[in-house]
Amino acid sequence: MISIVDLGIIRGVAWQGDTLEVTVTPTYSGCPATSIINLDIETALRSHGVEKIAIKRALSPAWTTDWLSEKGRARLEEYGIAPPNPAGGPQRCPQCRATNLEKVSQFGSTPCKAHWRCLECLEPFDYFKCI
Amino acid sequence: MPDALFEYLLRLGDNTLVLGHRISEWCGKAPILEEDIALANTALDLMGQTQLWLGLAAEVESKGRSADDLAFLRDVWDFRNVLMVERPNGDFGHTIMRQFLFDAFHLPLLDGLQNSSDQRVAEIAEKSVKEASYHLERSADTVIALGDGTEESHRRMQSALDLLWPFSGEMFLTDAVDDALLVSGIAPDLSQIKPIWSKTVEKTLREATLTTPEDDFAHSGGKTGRQHTEDLGHMLAQMQWLQRAYPGASW
């Protein structure tokens, strides 16, 4: 759906001698996907023939939804997740584009999302929290 | 005080660990699905912060222990969380009131820690402060909604507040550990955090139509490890039994 580069969590990729060092920042400190993402990065690099890999965690500067790329935002919406909006709530329903929306809960199916509902098409949807 | 930083990191990590575990106990049985998800998400944030704080504590201690060792293999007397967070959940109102009283403290504390002279501490605080501000927004809103809700919800929130109030003072009690970290610029001054907390609490409780208790007696002994309540022992028995029964078990 969206790549981790478009998500903005890859903060650096550089060779240190013969080791490829990938710097990753977590979206939320307790995000359970972090270890799976690290495993996937390693698997993907190995399948491209990179053998020595070091994955570094960077906490600062802390991840912000400003680092989501334009492509990433568009892909989220296509998938049915409203992209983050500095105004504090989703701009429009990712299904029908209506703007008559209501918040169901400040939290959603994962730490990075909140739960909203469209009052036109009545579909519930995830909103990517703006942090 | 050579171990002051280690002690201080345990206090930060044990507060988030114990409160995180407590609210995770609601998972699957909160009053409504959205609240269930919200509490589980908050618990997840607190657990993530715990990994960072206890991970750093283990690093600072340099005795070869990990964050997991600190979480699963210490007994009650080695925990350094405030007594308020180890209290059993009680009803939903009690859980939310406790969360609010803690969040209103946690946010300005983390905000201050962002300027820590220890860069590792500052980085963890910078990450956690965003999560804490979201927690406070929600718990304050929920305190207002329930306090200024029905007669029944108001009554329950007031009784939760009356019960928890004597536990809130411990967050601001200082000792030699706090003094040592303040002098070295690692931790902010708790006497400056207190008025920020009071302002948030007063404003929220007023909107919630709740009456702030006047007595400032404070139960203490959690953050210094002098004496925890029996409830922490029960919680740890539940949280630690697997590592105790099968040492070193991993996924």
Side-chain angles (χ1 to χ4, degrees):
Chain A
M1 169 188 43
I2 167 174
S3 82
I4 51 176
V5 174
D6 286 323
L7 185 58
I9 63 170
I10 299 299
R11 304 316 296 165
V13 180
W15 287 102
Q16 299 288 345
D18 59 352
T19 303
L20 186 61
E21 199 177 83
V22 183
T23 308
V24 188
T25 190
T27 51
Y28 285 78
S29 60
C31 179
T34 309
S35 55
I36 300 295
I37 289 172
N38 287 351
L39 189 68
D40 284 351
I41 294 173
E42 205 174 318
T43 312
L45 290 174
R46 283 199 198 288
S47 75
H48 283 81
V50 184
E51 284 181 359
K52 288 194 176 172
I53 301 154
I55 297 189
K56 263 180 51 182
R57 181 188 70 194
L59 292 176
S60 177
W63 178 77
T64 156
T65 35
D66 294 347
W67 293 346
L68 265 167
S69 69
E70 278 308 315
K71 185 178 147 209
R73 297 173 60 89
R75 294 291 293 273
L76 281 176
E77 192 172 28
E78 249 170 66
Y79 188 79
I81 299 172
N85 182 21
Q91 205 180 2
R92 59 187 184 189
C93 167
Q95 305 294 343
C96 74
R97 313 284 147 128
T99 54
N100 188 12
L101 313 168
E102 74 170 357
K103 181 168 72 183
V104 179
S105 170
Q106 270 156 307
F107 289 89
S109 56
T110 65
C112 52
K113 287 175 285 177
H115 189 185
W116 283 67
R117 181 191 292 125
C118 174
L119 296 173
E120 297 297 328
C121 72
L122 302 179
E123 277 293 313
F125 62 91
D126 271 335
Y127 163 61
F128 211 98
K129 287 168 4 190
C130 187
I131 69 165
Chain B
M1 267 199 102
D3 296 334
L5 179 57
F6 176 66
E7 280 287 314
Y8 190 78
L9 292 167
L10 287 185
R11 291 172 179 186
L12 292 169
D14 287 347
N15 276 341
T16 51
L17 172 60
V18 174
L19 183 59
H21 186 86
R22 275 295 182 215
I23 55 174
S24 79
E25 292 171 359
W26 277 103
C27 190
K29 53 182 186 189
I32 53 168
L33 183 61
E34 285 76 13
E35 290 307 326
D36 200 296
I37 291 171
L39 285 168
N41 268 295
T42 307
L44 194 60
D45 286 343
L46 293 173
M47 284 302 157
Q49 296 170 18
T50 302
Q51 281 183 330
L52 300 173
W53 291 127
L54 293 187
L56 182 55
E59 187 186 318
V60 165
E61 187 195 35
S62 41
K63 286 187 182 163
R65 292 204 280 183
S66 66
D68 279 339
D69 292 337
L70 290 173
F72 291 120
L73 301 177
R74 281 179 303 150
D75 214 330
V76 172
W77 47 81
D78 289 325
F79 273 74
R80 296 292 181 264
N81 57 280
V82 293
L83 298 177
M84 185 172 80
V85 298
E86 71 196 40
R87 290 187 53 79
N89 286 332
D91 64 12
F92 183 73
H94 180 273
T95 297
I96 292 297
M97 182 59 78
R98 179 186 58 195
Q99 190 67 37
F100 166 67
L101 294 173
F102 179 79
D103 290 342
F105 157 75
H106 202 205
L107 180 62
L109 175 69
L110 290 169
D111 192 30
L113 284 169
Q114 290 191 93
N115 302 317
S116 175
S117 61
D118 187 315
Q119 200 198 338
R120 299 166 300 179
V121 171
E123 287 187 357
I124 297 174
E126 182 190 339
K127 183 73 207 163
S128 309
V129 78
K130 291 186 174 193
E131 296 164 0
S133 85
Y134 206 79
H135 298 165
L136 177 59
E137 192 184 313
R138 173 176 172 278
S139 61
D141 281 354
T142 314
V143 163
I144 293 167
L146 291 173
D148 190 17
T150 64
E151 215 171 287
E152 174 72 4
S153 72
H154 176 88
R155 184 186 64 75
R156 288 192 186 215
M157 291 311 275
Q158 185 65 52
S159 103
L161 177 62
D162 294 343
L163 203 67
L164 286 163
W165 192 253
F167 288 92
S168 63
E170 189 187 11
M171 296 187 287
F172 305 101
L173 296 179
T174 56
D175 64 2
V177 172
D178 295 294
D179 296 343
L181 269 83
L182 178 59
V183 168
S184 55
I186 297 177
D189 188 350
L190 280 175
S191 69
Q192 288 178 12
I193 306 285
K194 178 78 190 277
I196 304 174
W197 179 84
S198 298
K199 204 175 152 201
T200 311
V201 168
E202 277 163 26
K203 179 177 174 290
T204 307
L205 294 182
R206 198 178 323 119
E207 263 188 78
T209 69
L210 295 169
T211 311
T212 309
E214 279 175 17
D215 195 345
D216 61 358
F217 168 77
H219 291 291
S220 64
K223 88 177 232 185
T224 59
R226 181 173 51 81
Q227 191 171 34
H228 283 279
T229 62
E230 106 181 70
D231 301 312
L232 181 63
H234 294 176
M235 195 201 97
L236 293 185
Q238 174 71 31
M239 191 183 89
Q240 297 180 332
W241 75 269
L242 196 136
Q243 279 303 322
R244 302 283 189 184
Y246 306 96
S250 65
W251 294 110

